[in-house]
């Protein structure tokens, strides 16, 4: 992510142009540009507060219509009000481009955090609990996120010097239970899978639609990356990486780091089963197991001190 400061006097000076949106939101700086969209920090004229405007890039509109990516993003955001989920404000159209206006998050992206800092295991488990809490609210609202990964998680510093987690980027979200047949579902690794290779569930690579179980798998791969410092599977070749997700066993965390208790892996491993039917059945079950794990670690710490 990068920040590009701007000082535009009118909508005509803005790269790509703001149209009617400029009547209500004044761009301050462009936060990032991705393959399908860009995100601007804007001042809301009515309130004076800083908000985020995610705008689909003009060249991506046709791809968006044909692929359906992002079709349920506004629906997903509108469906949930939760402290660990990005707050949705409104959906607008600007010069033919779809714009989603949300709260502005003053924090650090988890992917960037991982490049610089490491937390003790208790810190990662707190982040895991918050992430599961937001994901639980999403599933209860009937929405599958579809792309859980460090890039889609923000950390905000609280007054208590802890982190508040925010789950964002619902561009691949779909209604819970939605099924489809991928165009290339007969291939062992279909080329039209849009989730991120390091965290994508094996069944998605076999043509299945995202589900509660695929969200849990991506969450568990994300936490493995956080605790281990590196993803479970790595390769410079995309197809090799996808084959690893389908076929290779994951090395237990306690074998990668001797400071990680084995019981942490006992909690995480069921979410990383290749077969989704064998995984932890729900986010609620994962949270309950995590609560027991944290209690056990706290008791062991007290016994060690005594």
């Amino acid at each position: 992510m990068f920040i590009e400061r701007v000082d535009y006097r009118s909508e005509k000076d803005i790269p790509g142009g703001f149209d009617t949106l400029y009547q209500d939101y004044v761009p301050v700086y462009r936060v990032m540009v991705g393959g399908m969209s860009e995100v601007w920090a804007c001042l809301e004229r009515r309130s004076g507060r800083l908000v985020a405007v995610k705008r689909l890039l003009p060249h991506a509109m046709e791809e968006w219509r044909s692929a359906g990516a992002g079709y349920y993003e506004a629906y997903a955001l509108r469906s949930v009000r939760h402290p660990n989920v990005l707050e949705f404000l409104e959906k607008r159209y600007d010069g033919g481009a779809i714009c989603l206006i949300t709260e502005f998050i003053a924090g650090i992206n988890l992917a960037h955090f991982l490049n610089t800092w490491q937390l003790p295991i208790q810190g990662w488990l707190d982040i895991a609990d918050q992430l599961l809490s937001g994901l639980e609210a999403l599933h209860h609202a009937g929405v599958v996120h579809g792309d859980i990964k460090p890039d889609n998680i923000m950390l905000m510093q609280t007054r208590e010097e802890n982190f508040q987690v925010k789950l964002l980027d619902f561009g691949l979200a779909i209604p819970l239970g939605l099924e489809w047949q991928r165009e290339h579902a007969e291939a062992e690794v279909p080329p039209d899978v849009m989730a991120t290779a390091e965290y994508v569930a094996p069944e998605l690579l076999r043509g299945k639609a995202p589900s509660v179980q695929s969200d849990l798998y991506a969450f568990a791969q994300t936490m493995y990356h956080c605790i281990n410092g590196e993803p479970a599977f790595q390769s410079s070749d995309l197809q090799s990486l996808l084959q690893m997700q389908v076929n290779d066993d994951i090395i237990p965390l306690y074998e990668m780091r001797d400071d990680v208790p084995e019981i942490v892996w006992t909690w995480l491993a069921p979410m990383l089963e290749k077969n989704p039917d064998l995984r932890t059945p729900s986010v609620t079950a994962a949270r309950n197991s995590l609560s027991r794990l944290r209690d056990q670690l706290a008791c062991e710490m007290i016994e060690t001190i005594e």
Side-chain angles (χ1 to χ4, degrees):
M1 181 181 295
F2 62 89
I3 292 176
E4 178 186 342
R5 296 194 175 276
V6 298
D7 183 18
Y8 301 134
R9 297 183 179 181
S10 79
E11 68 274 21
K12 297 179 181 179
D13 299 327
I14 301 168
F18 268 37
D19 192 11
T20 57
L21 200 68
Y22 191 76
Q23 300 171 9
D24 299 308
Y25 299 99
V26 181
V28 179
Y29 58 83
R30 185 161 54 184
V31 178
M32 65 166 292
V33 179
M36 294 282 285
S37 62
E38 60 183 2
V39 177
W40 288 80
C42 296
L43 284 175
E44 185 181 40
R45 292 182 186 272
R46 179 170 50 84
S47 67
R49 64 175 169 172
L50 196 63
V51 300
V53 175
K54 179 178 180 179
R55 186 172 67 162
L56 201 65
L57 295 172
H59 71 268
M61 286 297 296
E62 190 59 38
E63 183 178 349
W64 179 86
R65 291 190 185 98
S66 62
Y71 185 79
Y72 296 103
E73 184 167 12
Y75 165 78
L77 286 168
R78 273 197 298 261
S79 299
V80 179
R81 286 289 183 268
H82 190 277
N84 299 124
V85 177
L86 182 70
E87 182 185 357
F88 175 80
L89 300 176
E90 66 169 324
K91 178 181 177 180
R92 294 276 292 272
Y93 289 87
D94 185 71
I98 295 172
C99 298
L100 300 181
I101 294 89
T102 68
E103 67 174 317
F104 182 84
I105 299 177
I108 184 171
N109 183 278
L110 178 57
H112 294 168
F113 183 90
L114 288 168
N115 290 333
T116 309
W117 291 283
Q118 182 58 257
L119 295 177
I121 188 64
Q122 292 85 354
W124 287 126
L125 295 182
D126 178 62
I127 286 174
D129 186 52
Q130 293 187 60
L131 184 54
L132 284 172
S133 181
L135 194 55
E136 182 179 46
L138 197 65
H139 289 175
H140 283 171
V143 177
V144 173
H145 185 278
D147 197 20
I148 304 294
K149 59 181 179 179
D151 283 301
N152 290 340
I153 299 164
M154 292 288 287
L155 303 179
M156 301 167 58
Q157 192 84 48
T158 68
R159 291 182 179 179
E160 294 76 22
E161 298 187 353
N162 297 318
F163 286 115
Q164 180 181 358
V165 173
K166 287 281 186 175
L167 179 61
L168 59 152
D169 201 337
F170 292 78
L172 297 184
I174 66 170
L176 188 65
L178 181 68
E179 293 290 343
W180 67 60
Q181 185 69 25
R182 292 192 185 277
E183 182 180 353
H184 302 279
E186 74 283 353
E188 185 172 359
V189 179
D192 53 340
V193 172
M194 301 181 71
T196 306
E198 287 83 358
Y199 315 97
V200 63
E203 65 271 18
L204 301 190
L205 300 176
R206 297 188 177 101
K208 298 292 186 181
S211 65
V212 167
Q213 272 60 48
S214 64
D215 270 358
L216 278 171
Y217 184 91
F219 159 80
Q221 285 284 21
T222 295
M223 294 316 305
Y224 188 105
H225 183 173
C226 291
I227 297 170
N228 183 48
E230 295 180 339
F233 299 126
Q234 300 180 75
S235 176
S236 58
D237 179 69
L238 177 59
Q239 286 300 311
S240 296
L241 182 55
L242 296 177
Q243 293 290 350
M244 291 177 189
Q245 290 284 17
V246 173
N247 299 314
D248 290 7
D249 293 330
I250 299 176
I251 300 175
L253 277 170
Y254 59 85
E255 294 184 12
M256 300 293 291
R257 289 186 48 176
D258 55 14
D259 60 334
V260 176
E262 188 170 345
I263 56 173
V264 174
W265 179 245
T266 302
W267 164 69
L268 203 61
M271 288 180 271
L272 291 168
E273 288 282 354
K274 301 292 186 187
N275 184 346
D277 294 334
L278 300 179
R279 278 182 216 144
T280 305
S282 67
V283 174
T284 301
R287 286 195 75 195
N288 291 339
S289 297
L290 177 58
S291 178
R292 292 191 292 271
L293 164 62
R294 297 177 77 183
D295 289 344
Q296 186 173 347
L297 288 176
C299 290
E300 291 179 358
M301 184 176 296
I302 292 174
E303 291 175 359
T304 301
I305 294 175
E306 293 177 348

